Amino acid sequence: MNFRILASDFAIDLGTSNILVYKKGDGIIAKEPSFLLLDENNTKVLAIGDSAKQMLGKTHDKIHLVKPIENGVITDFNLTEALLNYFFKKVNSGFSFLQPRVVICVPSGITDIQARAVEDAALHAGSRDVILVDESLAAAYGMDLGPDEPKGSLIVNLGGGVSEASVISLNGVITNKSINKGGDYIDSLIGDYFRDQLSLEIGENTAENVKNSVLSLRVKDKKLSIEVDGRDLETAMPKTVSITSESLLSCIMPFANTVVDMIYEVLEKTPPEISSDIKKNGIYLTGGLTKLRGLSEYISERMGLSVSVSEDPISDAIKGAGIILDNPDRFVKYRK
Ligand SMILES: Nc1ncnc2c1ncn2[C@@H]1O[C@H](COP(=O)(O)OP(=O)(O)OP(=O)(O)O)[C@@H](O)[C@H]1O
Ligand SMILES: [Mg+2]
């Protein structure tokens, strides 16, 4: 067995859809879907991440596939601990005398009880010190926006389970608003559309693939189409149908408008000095759902503000959590 004095410190973005891990000195070492495959008693973890997600919709009653994080918060303390344990071992194989410090990204809208549950799960899994960071603040570090400066930035994080708008300055969240809906919700609307309008039952992975490959708010994409496999609800036989982006607009338009309303609400509560920073710099979008075709342009048009999206919006928060792990002094400055 491997013995060492100090375990490596690391950061985790515990998302509804993806879990990313940053290891001090090595950078991002894991990017896995937030899925666990369990035995029939829910006691043993059989698979995790990518290999577990591939089994979605294909399991039997002796194995269970679960997502331990729903809408950004822990649904099951023991499962989350198992998940954290898995990543602790991945980062630190062998035995260490001094356990690691861990930075964990959490949604700004999290309650004290939920934050405590995340902290407890990390302590149980073996960390010596846990630093919880607002996901939007971490993303602002990841996007290099200088969130520790006296300058307001509006960050809109559109993830798998949560959508959130936060105004950030001097390492703090000045005002924010979140809704418990994100990419998973759009996937479920796509599933409903196929069932109700086309009598076709489709799996969750298929719905996600439809969202990511054809769903669009751009007029020029309206004829974009995809062949979708599912089960015909009338004949019970496998069936393939072709669908266009245009026919699925009802799955995205109301959500896009809710996001715009959420941003307006946050701007209404923003102090004037910070409003002028936002007018000058525009909105920063992060989170995987930001990649949905035409969504950033739609938000920019409706808000009358410029919008910037990073190249890899799924990784902004973990990059920022890594910066905080490497420079804790920069992060604690101005914090209580
Ligand atoms: N090209 C794409 N188009 C549309 N959506 C996409 C695309 N790529 C990924 N997504 C969606 O982004 C979402 C995942 O984003 P992200 O990893 O930021 O979420 P998360 O951090 O795990 O969740 P949360 O922060 O809400 O807890 C999923 O719904 C996924 O389907
Ligand atoms: Mg996230």
Side-chain angles (χ1 to χ4, degrees), residues 24-40:
K24 199 168 185 150
D26 289 2
I28 298 172
I29 56 152
K31 199 177 202 174
E32 301 260 12
S34 317
F35 280 91
L36 292 178
L37 186 74
L38 301 166
D39 67 352
E40 60 183 321

Side-chain angles (χ1 to χ4, degrees), residues 13-18 135 157-160 162 287-288 314 317:
D13 175 10
L14 221 43
T16 309
S17 303
N18 294 297
E135 192 181 340
N157 182 4
L158 306 176
V162 187
I314 286 174

Side-chain angles (χ1 to χ4, degrees), residues 13-20 34 69 71-72 107 135 157-163 182-184 187 208 211-213 286-293 313-314:
D13 175 10
L14 221 43
T16 309
S17 303
N18 294 297
I19 293 179
L20 291 89
S34 317
I69 325 280
N71 302 121
E135 192 181 340
N157 182 4
L158 306 176
V162 187
S163 299
D184 287 0
D187 298 345
E208 183 179 12
K211 174 187 81 215
N212 298 2
S213 41
T286 183
L289 190 59
T290 295
K291 295 204 268 184
L292 196 136
R293 288 161 193 269
I314 286 174

